[in-house]
Amino acid sequence: MLEKSRLDRINELAKKAKTEGLTEEEKKAEEIASWSTMIHKKYMELIQIEPLQLKEHGLLITFPKSYDDLKFEGDTLHHCVRTYADKIATGETMVFFIRRESEPDVPYYTLELCDGHIIQCRGKYNQSATGQVLDFAEHFNRELSTHYNIHLAA
């Protein structure tokens, strides 16, 4: 979740926009704040779903709670997941993070799902998932789609 001081700054920028207009930097900050809010709401709807508790092969699944999470994931793994914020916010696609159970806060692989299908599962420098990571991603997708009849994004 966004820090209180950051939320205060974002609210301040929104008020300023109504009277003075925004610089490009302020517009971007407002856009990111909007994405973060929509991303947070979208994933909060899914938080109680059992497949999100899935753990196997020493892996677990989690999800971005804000734009900052997407940025951290992309910066750490050197790929472009942060550019998906608008697509996630509008429901066009869903992104999940695959982590090692031993390092749950360290990015490992990023999983994109759309309409019940794996679109991509990428690790560091856009490396495609193989072996146990791919098996885990496929199992998570099956659990989400089959047991809950959820087709994420469409």
Side-chain angles (χ1 to χ4, degrees), residues 62-147:
T62 188
F63 54 91
K65 294 161 191 73
S66 70
Y67 174 81
D68 289 340
D69 291 348
L70 290 170
K71 185 175 181 327
F72 178 70
E73 183 87 355
D75 289 349
T76 303
L77 295 178
H78 303 280
H79 62 44
C80 65
V81 70
R82 71 177 172 76
T83 66
Y84 287 67
D86 59 335
K87 291 179 181 178
I88 295 166
T90 61
E92 190 176 328
T93 196
M94 294 291 279
V95 170
F96 296 91
F97 302 152
I98 297 174
R99 302 284 195 253
R100 293 181 183 104
E101 282 188 78
S102 61
E103 298 178 298
D105 297 323
V106 178
Y108 187 48
Y109 277 84
T110 309
L111 174 64
E112 180 187 6
L113 301 178
C114 184
D115 196 25
H117 300 284
I118 294 175
I119 304 304
Q120 58 183 330
C121 188
R122 303 289 183 184
K124 200 160 197 163
Y125 298 108
N126 248 1
Q127 174 186 0
S128 293
T130 59
Q132 288 184 334
V133 173
L134 186 56
D135 291 346
F136 179 79
E138 289 171 345
H139 182 195
F140 172 70
N141 187 47
R142 277 192 311 276
E143 288 290 314
L144 208 54
S145 295
T146 305
H147 295 289

XYZ file of all heavy atoms in Angstrom, residues 62-147:
704
model
N 2.105 -14.824 -5.177
C 1.649 -13.578 -4.572
C 1.264 -12.635 -5.710
O 1.252 -13.059 -6.867
C 2.727 -12.982 -3.629
O 2.163 -11.868 -2.931
C 3.971 -12.561 -4.374
N 0.922 -11.415 -5.394
C 0.446 -10.511 -6.430
C 0.861 -9.079 -6.097
O 1.128 -8.750 -4.948
C -1.066 -10.613 -6.576
C -1.823 -10.395 -5.289
C -2.255 -9.129 -4.930
C -2.082 -11.461 -4.448
C -2.930 -8.927 -3.757
C -2.763 -11.267 -3.263
C -3.188 -9.998 -2.907
N 0.887 -8.213 -7.105
C 1.238 -6.811 -6.852
C 0.099 -6.114 -6.116
O -1.067 -6.343 -6.406
C 1.425 -6.221 -8.253
C 0.593 -7.089 -9.134
C 0.616 -8.468 -8.522
N 0.472 -5.291 -5.170
C -0.526 -4.530 -4.433
C -0.522 -3.070 -4.837
O -1.387 -2.304 -4.421
C -0.283 -4.690 -2.941
C -0.519 -6.133 -2.494
C 0.140 -6.430 -1.168
C 0.129 -7.910 -0.866
N 1.050 -8.689 -1.668
N 0.445 -2.692 -5.674
C 0.540 -1.301 -6.131
C 1.457 -1.236 -7.350
O 2.143 -2.204 -7.684
C 1.112 -0.414 -5.025
O 2.481 -0.708 -4.823
N 1.489 -0.068 -7.946
C 2.418 0.168 -9.047
C 3.860 -0.015 -8.576
O 4.691 -0.543 -9.309
C 2.223 1.583 -9.608
C 3.247 1.937 -10.655
C 3.090 1.507 -11.967
C 4.374 2.679 -10.326
C 4.038 1.816 -12.931
C 5.327 2.993 -11.286
C 5.158 2.558 -12.579
O 6.097 2.851 -13.533
N 4.147 0.404 -7.348
C 5.509 0.268 -6.824
C 5.957 -1.194 -6.799
O 7.123 -1.497 -7.050
C 5.618 0.868 -5.420
C 5.531 2.395 -5.435
O 5.762 3.000 -6.513
O 5.233 2.975 -4.379
N 5.028 -2.106 -6.505
C 5.363 -3.536 -6.532
C 5.748 -3.973 -7.942
O 6.692 -4.741 -8.132
C 4.193 -4.387 -6.037
C 3.918 -4.229 -4.559
O 4.754 -3.642 -3.834
O 2.849 -4.708 -4.115
N 5.008 -3.498 -8.937
C 5.321 -3.833 -10.331
C 6.679 -3.258 -10.725
O 7.473 -3.920 -11.393
C 4.245 -3.286 -11.275
C 2.882 -3.956 -11.208
C 1.876 -3.160 -12.015
C 2.960 -5.383 -11.691
N 6.939 -2.043 -10.313
C 8.209 -1.397 -10.635
C 9.368 -2.152 -9.989
O 10.378 -2.423 -10.640
C 8.208 0.056 -10.185
C 9.456 0.821 -10.601
C 9.361 2.282 -10.248
C 10.567 3.081 -10.669
N 11.846 2.450 -10.652
N 9.214 -2.528 -8.725
C 10.261 -3.273 -8.026
C 10.522 -4.613 -8.717
O 11.664 -5.009 -8.937
C 9.880 -3.489 -6.556
C 10.889 -4.281 -5.774
C 12.125 -3.725 -5.456
C 10.624 -5.576 -5.368
C 13.073 -4.451 -4.738
C 11.556 -6.314 -4.660
C 12.790 -5.751 -4.343
N 9.454 -5.299 -9.083
C 9.568 -6.584 -9.782
C 10.342 -6.417 -11.089
O 11.281 -7.154 -11.378
C 8.167 -7.153 -10.056
C 8.148 -8.512 -10.723
C 8.206 -9.667 -9.753
O 8.352 -9.459 -8.538
O 8.107 -10.821 -10.227
N 9.936 -5.450 -11.892
C 10.584 -5.216 -13.181
C 12.026 -4.761 -13.041
O 12.904 -5.217 -13.784
N 12.287 -3.879 -12.093
C 13.654 -3.398 -11.876
C 14.567 -4.534 -11.417
O 15.700 -4.648 -11.877
C 13.689 -2.271 -10.845
C 13.092 -0.965 -11.357
O 12.833 -0.853 -12.577
O 12.890 -0.057 -10.533
N 14.059 -5.363 -10.527
C 14.869 -6.466 -9.985
C 15.137 -7.534 -11.027
O 16.254 -8.041 -11.148
C 14.176 -7.083 -8.749
O 13.966 -6.053 -7.784
C 15.031 -8.187 -8.143
N 14.104 -7.881 -11.794
C 14.243 -8.952 -12.793
C 14.662 -8.426 -14.168
O 14.867 -9.206 -15.088
C 12.937 -9.743 -12.910
C 12.527 -10.518 -11.660
C 11.200 -11.233 -11.873
C 13.614 -11.499 -11.233
N 14.771 -7.130 -14.297
C 15.191 -6.505 -15.556
C 14.245 -6.860 -16.706
O 14.666 -7.292 -17.770
C 16.635 -6.886 -15.907
C 17.602 -6.535 -14.832
N 18.099 -5.269 -14.657
C 18.138 -7.292 -13.833
C 18.914 -5.265 -13.618
N 18.956 -6.465 -13.094
N 12.946 -6.701 -16.441
C 11.957 -6.842 -17.505
C 10.893 -5.755 -17.355
O 10.992 -4.898 -16.479
C 11.394 -8.255 -17.603
C 10.652 -8.763 -16.401
N 9.744 -8.023 -15.695
C 10.686 -9.973 -15.791
C 9.233 -8.750 -14.722
N 9.797 -9.932 -14.744
N 9.901 -5.759 -18.214
C 9.014 -4.600 -18.378
C 7.658 -4.721 -17.698
O 6.719 -4.051 -18.101
C 8.813 -4.325 -19.868
S 7.935 -5.646 -20.726
N 7.520 -5.516 -16.662
C 6.200 -5.728 -16.059
C 5.556 -4.426 -15.585
O 4.335 -4.292 -15.611
C 6.254 -6.768 -14.913
C 6.983 -6.223 -13.698
C 4.851 -7.232 -14.562
N 6.341 -3.432 -15.221
C 5.741 -2.170 -14.751
C 4.900 -1.505 -15.835
O 3.960 -0.775 -15.535
C 6.793 -1.224 -14.213
C 7.680 -0.641 -15.268
C 8.683 0.357 -14.672
N 9.635 0.759 -15.667
C 9.392 1.620 -16.646
N 8.210 2.178 -16.751
N 10.313 1.926 -17.527
N 5.201 -1.794 -17.101
C 4.442 -1.179 -18.191
C 3.045 -1.797 -18.336
O 2.255 -1.327 -19.146
C 5.192 -1.284 -19.532
O 5.290 -2.657 -19.920
C 6.578 -0.659 -19.432
N 2.763 -2.833 -17.557
C 1.465 -3.502 -17.602
C 0.473 -2.909 -16.611
O -0.655 -3.378 -16.509
C 1.624 -5.000 -17.336
C 2.239 -5.755 -18.475
C 3.563 -5.545 -18.863
C 1.499 -6.683 -19.190
C 4.125 -6.223 -19.918
C 2.057 -7.374 -20.256
C 3.373 -7.135 -20.613
O 3.929 -7.807 -21.664
N 0.872 -1.896 -15.864
C 0.016 -1.338 -14.811
C -1.355 -0.938 -15.337
O -2.378 -1.256 -14.718
C 0.699 -0.153 -14.148
N -1.403 -0.266 -16.471
C -2.696 0.168 -16.997
C -3.551 -1.021 -17.420
O -4.762 -1.027 -17.205
C -2.528 1.171 -18.138
C -1.733 0.640 -19.314
O -0.915 -0.291 -19.135
O -1.919 1.151 -20.431
N -2.932 -2.043 -17.982
C -3.682 -3.236 -18.398
C -4.224 -3.999 -17.196
O -5.312 -4.569 -17.258
C -2.798 -4.150 -19.241
C -2.453 -3.575 -20.587
C -1.553 -4.515 -21.367
C -1.184 -3.913 -22.711
N -0.288 -4.772 -23.462
N -3.466 -4.028 -16.109
C -3.928 -4.680 -14.883
C -5.067 -3.864 -14.285
O -6.110 -4.403 -13.910
C -2.776 -4.825 -13.876
C -1.697 -5.768 -14.416
C -3.302 -5.325 -12.526
C -0.390 -5.713 -13.647
N -4.871 -2.557 -14.209
C -5.864 -1.671 -13.607
C -7.205 -1.725 -14.331
O -8.256 -1.633 -13.703
C -5.332 -0.241 -13.571
N -7.182 -1.904 -15.643
C -8.422 -1.949 -16.416
C -8.982 -3.365 -16.563
O -10.031 -3.551 -17.164
C -8.209 -1.350 -17.823
O -7.223 -2.114 -18.515
C -7.804 0.103 -17.743
N -8.275 -4.366 -16.028
C -8.765 -5.741 -16.095
C -8.431 -6.458 -17.387
O -8.911 -7.554 -17.639
N -7.590 -5.871 -18.198
C -7.206 -6.488 -19.470
C -6.334 -7.728 -19.256
O -6.352 -8.654 -20.053
C -6.461 -5.457 -20.313
C -6.206 -5.883 -21.735
C -5.547 -4.775 -22.550
O -5.806 -3.580 -22.285
O -4.776 -5.121 -23.448
N -5.567 -7.741 -18.172
C -4.705 -8.872 -17.854
C -4.490 -8.918 -16.350
O -4.848 -7.985 -15.639
C -3.354 -8.762 -18.611
O -2.698 -10.023 -18.582
C -2.452 -7.689 -18.022
N -3.956 -10.026 -15.862
C -3.625 -10.169 -14.443
C -2.175 -10.623 -14.344
O -1.714 -11.436 -15.146
C -4.522 -11.197 -13.764
C -5.975 -10.789 -13.705
S -6.308 -9.426 -12.599
C -6.366 -10.265 -11.043
N -1.483 -10.107 -13.339
C -0.080 -10.450 -13.118
C 0.071 -10.982 -11.698
O -0.486 -10.405 -10.754
C 0.827 -9.227 -13.346
C 2.247 -9.499 -12.883
C 0.818 -8.831 -14.818
N 0.808 -12.056 -11.571
C 1.121 -12.647 -10.274
C 2.631 -12.805 -10.176
O 3.327 -12.886 -11.191
C 0.452 -14.017 -10.133
C -1.048 -13.931 -10.133
C -1.755 -14.029 -11.315
C -1.741 -13.744 -8.956
C -3.138 -13.935 -11.334
C -3.130 -13.641 -8.956
C -3.827 -13.744 -10.150
N 3.119 -12.854 -8.952
C 4.549 -13.033 -8.705
C 4.782 -14.421 -8.134
O 4.118 -14.830 -7.190
C 5.070 -11.996 -7.709
C 4.874 -10.562 -8.120
C 4.737 -9.579 -7.160
C 4.845 -10.179 -9.455
C 4.581 -8.246 -7.504
C 4.684 -8.848 -9.821
C 4.553 -7.877 -8.836
N 5.730 -15.129 -8.713
C 6.153 -16.423 -8.184
C 7.421 -16.178 -7.384
O 8.366 -15.556 -7.870
C 6.401 -17.443 -9.321
C 5.096 -17.698 -10.073
C 6.997 -18.733 -8.755
C 5.233 -18.585 -11.300
N 7.408 -16.672 -6.147
C 8.533 -16.478 -5.234
C 9.015 -17.818 -4.701
O 8.260 -18.784 -4.666
C 8.109 -15.631 -4.027
C 7.553 -14.274 -4.368
C 8.676 -13.341 -4.747
N 8.235 -11.961 -4.739
C 8.045 -11.258 -5.821
N 8.241 -11.781 -7.010
N 7.663 -10.003 -5.747
N 10.247 -17.832 -4.266
C 10.748 -18.974 -3.513
C 10.198 -18.845 -2.093
O 10.189 -17.746 -1.533
C 12.273 -18.978 -3.465
C 12.929 -19.223 -4.801
C 14.458 -19.221 -4.608
N 15.137 -19.373 -5.862
C 15.745 -18.373 -6.512
N 15.751 -17.150 -6.033
N 16.347 -18.609 -7.649
N 9.754 -19.955 -1.504
C 9.255 -19.905 -0.130
C 10.326 -19.376 0.818
O 10.015 -18.673 1.771
C 8.800 -21.284 0.340
C 7.449 -21.684 -0.199
C 6.945 -22.952 0.427
O 6.455 -22.880 1.582
O 7.052 -24.017 -0.219
N 11.571 -19.685 0.538
C 12.673 -19.253 1.403
C 12.977 -17.753 1.264
O 13.643 -17.178 2.120
C 13.935 -20.065 1.106
O 14.338 -19.856 -0.250
N 12.494 -17.122 0.183
C 12.722 -15.687 -0.059
C 11.441 -15.053 -0.615
O 11.394 -14.628 -1.767
C 13.861 -15.479 -1.054
C 15.209 -15.999 -0.600
C 16.281 -15.800 -1.657
O 16.148 -16.379 -2.761
O 17.233 -15.052 -1.367
N 10.398 -14.973 0.190
C 9.093 -14.525 -0.317
C 9.042 -13.073 -0.774
O 8.123 -12.698 -1.495
C 8.150 -14.763 0.868
C 9.034 -14.767 2.062
C 10.351 -15.328 1.604
N 10.020 -12.269 -0.397
C 10.020 -10.867 -0.801
C 10.971 -10.574 -1.946
O 11.108 -9.423 -2.368
C 10.387 -9.981 0.403
C 9.362 -10.085 1.515
O 8.162 -10.191 1.205
O 9.766 -10.073 2.688
N 11.617 -11.609 -2.465
C 12.598 -11.435 -3.541
C 11.996 -11.901 -4.862
O 11.601 -13.064 -4.999
C 13.893 -12.229 -3.241
C 14.884 -12.092 -4.385
C 14.514 -11.770 -1.925
N 11.888 -11.010 -5.853
C 11.336 -11.414 -7.156
C 12.076 -12.615 -7.746
O 13.302 -12.703 -7.666
C 11.541 -10.166 -8.014
C 11.452 -9.045 -7.034
C 12.179 -9.576 -5.814
N 11.289 -13.533 -8.315
C 11.853 -14.738 -8.930
C 11.318 -14.896 -10.352
O 12.077 -14.871 -11.311
C 11.533 -15.947 -8.056
C 12.188 -17.236 -8.479
C 13.544 -17.285 -8.787
C 11.455 -18.409 -8.560
C 14.143 -18.475 -9.175
C 12.050 -19.608 -8.933
C 13.387 -19.637 -9.246
O 13.972 -20.821 -9.630
N 10.005 -15.043 -10.493
C 9.359 -15.095 -11.809
C 8.073 -14.282 -11.758
O 7.449 -14.150 -10.707
C 9.024 -16.539 -12.231
C 10.191 -17.262 -12.836
C 11.133 -17.884 -12.031
C 10.364 -17.312 -14.217
C 12.230 -18.534 -12.589
C 11.454 -17.955 -14.775
C 12.383 -18.567 -13.954
O 13.458 -19.200 -14.505
N 7.666 -13.783 -12.910
C 6.447 -12.995 -13.049
C 5.522 -13.733 -14.013
O 5.940 -14.124 -15.101
C 6.771 -11.593 -13.603
O 7.808 -11.013 -12.824
C 5.542 -10.708 -13.563
N 4.268 -13.913 -13.596
C 3.295 -14.690 -14.356
C 2.165 -13.780 -14.835
O 1.559 -13.071 -14.043
C 2.718 -15.788 -13.452
C 1.572 -16.634 -13.986
C 2.012 -17.459 -15.194
C 1.027 -17.533 -12.878
N 1.887 -13.807 -16.129
C 0.758 -13.069 -16.684
C -0.304 -14.059 -17.137
O -0.019 -14.999 -17.883
C 1.186 -12.204 -17.876
C 0.013 -11.431 -18.461
C 0.330 -10.689 -19.753
O 1.447 -10.854 -20.298
O -0.550 -9.944 -20.221
N -1.549 -13.829 -16.691
C -2.688 -14.660 -17.076
C -3.743 -13.789 -17.738
O -3.962 -12.650 -17.325
C -3.321 -15.315 -15.844
C -2.451 -16.224 -14.995
C -3.251 -16.740 -13.804
C -1.907 -17.373 -15.810
N -4.395 -14.361 -18.732
C -5.500 -13.663 -19.383
C -6.494 -14.704 -19.883
O -6.097 -15.661 -20.556
C -4.981 -12.804 -20.541
S -6.269 -11.822 -21.317
N -7.747 -14.530 -19.523
C -8.816 -15.412 -19.975
C -8.505 -16.883 -19.717
O -8.740 -17.737 -20.566
C -9.108 -15.160 -21.457
C -10.448 -15.750 -21.883
O -11.325 -15.923 -21.021
O -10.597 -16.052 -23.084
N -7.956 -17.174 -18.543
C -7.676 -18.549 -18.167
C -6.452 -19.163 -18.826
O -6.260 -20.368 -18.764
N -5.616 -18.350 -19.451
C -4.421 -18.849 -20.147
C -3.166 -18.151 -19.628
O -3.205 -16.972 -19.289
C -4.519 -18.600 -21.652
C -5.696 -19.255 -22.295
N -5.747 -20.602 -22.565
C -6.884 -18.743 -22.689
C -6.914 -20.894 -23.106
N -7.624 -19.784 -23.197
N -2.085 -18.907 -19.624
C -0.796 -18.305 -19.309
C -0.314 -17.573 -20.556
O -0.156 -18.176 -21.613
C 0.246 -19.367 -18.886
C -0.168 -19.996 -17.564
C 1.650 -18.749 -18.795
C 0.725 -21.139 -17.115
N -0.104 -16.279 -20.424
C 0.406 -15.484 -21.532
C 1.930 -15.533 -21.517
O 2.558 -15.723 -22.550
C -0.086 -14.022 -21.446
C -1.619 -13.967 -21.399
C 0.477 -13.182 -22.590
C -2.316 -14.653 -22.556
N 2.490 -15.368 -20.329
C 3.940 -15.469 -20.193
C 4.304 -15.681 -18.733
O 3.548 -15.325 -17.840
C 4.635 -14.228 -20.744
C 4.218 -12.923 -20.120
C 4.895 -11.736 -20.768
O 6.011 -11.826 -21.266
N 4.217 -10.596 -20.769
N 5.460 -16.274 -18.534
C 6.032 -16.466 -17.208
C 7.526 -16.212 -17.368
O 8.236 -17.020 -17.971
C 5.743 -17.875 -16.686
S 6.238 -18.096 -14.969
N 7.978 -15.065 -16.848
C 9.337 -14.603 -17.113
C 10.141 -14.384 -15.834
O 9.633 -13.852 -14.858
C 9.313 -13.272 -17.879
C 8.557 -13.315 -19.175
C 9.279 -14.099 -20.208
N 8.545 -14.051 -21.458
C 8.896 -14.700 -22.518
N 9.972 -15.453 -22.527
N 8.184 -14.616 -23.621
N 11.411 -14.752 -15.918
C 12.347 -14.535 -14.832
C 13.302 -13.416 -15.172
O 13.001 -12.530 -15.977
N 14.474 -13.482 -14.584
C 15.473 -12.431 -14.773
C 15.848 -12.305 -16.252
O 16.030 -13.295 -16.943
C 16.706 -12.746 -13.940
C 17.570 -11.547 -13.688
C 18.487 -11.753 -12.510
C 18.994 -10.403 -12.087
N 19.543 -10.399 -10.773
N 15.925 -11.067 -16.707
C 16.247 -10.732 -18.101
C 15.300 -11.411 -19.086
O 15.695 -11.860 -20.152
C 17.699 -11.067 -18.418
C 18.676 -10.291 -17.573
C 19.388 -10.916 -16.563
C 18.870 -8.929 -17.769
C 20.280 -10.206 -15.766
C 19.754 -8.224 -16.976
C 20.445 -8.859 -15.977
O 21.326 -8.145 -15.188
N 14.024 -11.529 -18.698
C 12.976 -12.076 -19.558
C 13.140 -13.561 -19.869
O 12.592 -14.058 -20.858
C 12.861 -11.273 -20.857
C 11.576 -10.506 -20.930
O 10.759 -10.542 -20.026
N 11.393 -9.808 -22.025
N 13.875 -14.254 -19.050
C 14.068 -15.700 -19.235
C 12.730 -16.418 -19.070
O 11.995 -16.179 -18.123
C 15.073 -16.203 -18.192
C 15.247 -17.695 -18.179
C 16.138 -18.138 -17.018
O 16.628 -17.335 -16.232
N 16.336 -19.429 -16.916
N 12.400 -17.297 -20.012
C 11.164 -18.076 -19.933
C 11.262 -19.123 -18.827
O 12.317 -19.695 -18.593
C 10.892 -18.787 -21.256
O 10.611 -17.848 -22.262
N 10.138 -19.350 -18.176
C 10.084 -20.354 -17.113
C 10.161 -21.752 -17.696
O 9.626 -22.021 -18.774
C 8.803 -20.197 -16.309
N 10.822 -22.624 -16.980
C 10.910 -24.036 -17.356
C 10.776 -24.878 -16.087
O 10.750 -24.348 -14.980
C 12.260 -24.366 -18.033
O 13.321 -24.043 -17.122
C 12.441 -23.597 -19.330
N 10.696 -26.174 -16.270
C 10.725 -27.111 -15.151
C 9.690 -26.845 -14.081
O 8.520 -26.635 -14.380
N 10.149 -26.853 -12.834
C 9.234 -26.727 -11.706
C 8.503 -25.384 -11.675
O 7.359 -25.322 -11.249
C 9.980 -26.947 -10.387
C 10.371 -28.389 -10.158
C 11.016 -28.605 -8.808
O 11.605 -27.698 -8.236
N 10.913 -29.827 -8.314
N 9.156 -24.330 -12.129
C 8.490 -23.019 -12.143
C 7.322 -23.040 -13.125
O 6.213 -22.603 -12.800
C 9.472 -21.878 -12.487
C 8.736 -20.557 -12.666
C 10.554 -21.754 -11.418
N 7.529 -23.574 -14.303
C 6.460 -23.656 -15.288
C 5.353 -24.596 -14.801
O 4.162 -24.289 -14.928
C 6.992 -24.114 -16.642
C 5.989 -24.097 -17.791
C 5.367 -22.715 -17.975
C 6.661 -24.549 -19.081
N 5.727 -25.729 -14.214
C 4.735 -26.648 -13.641
C 3.891 -25.950 -12.578
O 2.664 -26.105 -12.531
C 5.418 -27.869 -13.020
C 6.050 -28.800 -14.045
O 5.738 -28.658 -15.250
O 6.875 -29.640 -13.634
N 4.556 -25.182 -11.731
C 3.865 -24.449 -10.672
C 2.891 -23.430 -11.269
O 1.741 -23.331 -10.833
C 4.899 -23.751 -9.774
C 4.301 -22.952 -8.657
C 3.840 -23.575 -7.503
C 4.202 -21.571 -8.750
C 3.294 -22.836 -6.466
C 3.657 -20.826 -7.720
C 3.204 -21.457 -6.571
N 3.337 -22.684 -12.266
C 2.485 -21.685 -12.916
C 1.266 -22.348 -13.556
O 0.140 -21.846 -13.437
C 3.286 -20.907 -13.961
N 1.485 -23.465 -14.227
C 0.373 -24.186 -14.874
C -0.604 -24.719 -13.826
O -1.823 -24.651 -14.019
C 0.915 -25.307 -15.748
C 1.608 -24.769 -16.999
C 2.361 -25.833 -17.788
O 2.606 -26.938 -17.247
O 2.724 -25.538 -18.942
N -0.073 -25.245 -12.718
C -0.927 -25.759 -11.648
C -1.762 -24.616 -11.054
O -2.973 -24.758 -10.851
C -0.079 -26.431 -10.573
C -0.878 -27.027 -9.465
N -0.314 -27.408 -8.281
C -2.192 -27.299 -9.335
C -1.245 -27.882 -7.483
N -2.393 -27.828 -8.094
N -1.141 -23.487 -10.785
C -1.859 -22.330 -10.247
C -2.966 -21.899 -11.209
O -4.105 -21.672 -10.795
C -0.886 -21.170 -10.002
C -1.575 -19.897 -9.634
C -2.195 -19.756 -8.399
C -1.617 -18.831 -10.522
C -2.849 -18.581 -8.052
C -2.261 -17.653 -10.186
C -2.879 -17.522 -8.941
N -2.667 -21.813 -12.479
C -3.664 -21.405 -13.466
C -4.833 -22.393 -13.523
O -5.993 -21.987 -13.567
C -3.014 -21.255 -14.843
C -3.975 -20.661 -15.852
O -4.640 -19.677 -15.579
N -4.051 -21.281 -17.018
N -4.522 -23.688 -13.494
C -5.586 -24.704 -13.493
C -6.460 -24.575 -12.246
O -7.694 -24.621 -12.333
C -5.000 -26.114 -13.553
C -4.639 -26.591 -14.931
C -4.350 -28.083 -14.978
N -3.422 -28.527 -13.952
C -2.078 -28.476 -14.050
N -1.518 -28.002 -15.146
N -1.314 -28.904 -13.076
N -5.832 -24.420 -11.083
C -6.586 -24.284 -9.834
C -7.503 -23.070 -9.886
O -8.670 -23.147 -9.523
C -5.632 -24.143 -8.641
C -4.909 -25.412 -8.279
C -5.825 -26.458 -7.675
O -6.640 -26.117 -6.796
O -5.736 -27.624 -8.106
N -6.969 -21.971 -10.330
C -7.739 -20.737 -10.398
C -8.906 -20.876 -11.376
O -10.026 -20.499 -11.067
C -6.811 -19.600 -10.839
C -7.145 -18.200 -10.383
C -7.294 -18.113 -8.875
C -6.074 -17.235 -10.853
N -8.638 -21.440 -12.524
C -9.663 -21.567 -13.563
C -10.687 -22.649 -13.256
O -11.896 -22.426 -13.394
C -9.007 -21.868 -14.911
O -8.220 -20.798 -15.306
N -10.232 -23.816 -12.848
C -11.113 -24.960 -12.661
C -11.949 -24.876 -11.389
O -13.176 -24.912 -11.451
C -10.307 -26.278 -12.629
O -9.536 -26.350 -13.824
C -11.201 -27.473 -12.510
N -11.310 -24.745 -10.280
C -12.015 -24.799 -9.003
C -12.862 -23.571 -8.713
O -13.825 -23.650 -7.977
C -11.045 -25.049 -7.859
C -10.389 -26.391 -7.946
N -11.070 -27.563 -7.714
C -9.138 -26.745 -8.276
C -10.260 -28.579 -7.885
N -9.072 -28.122 -8.224
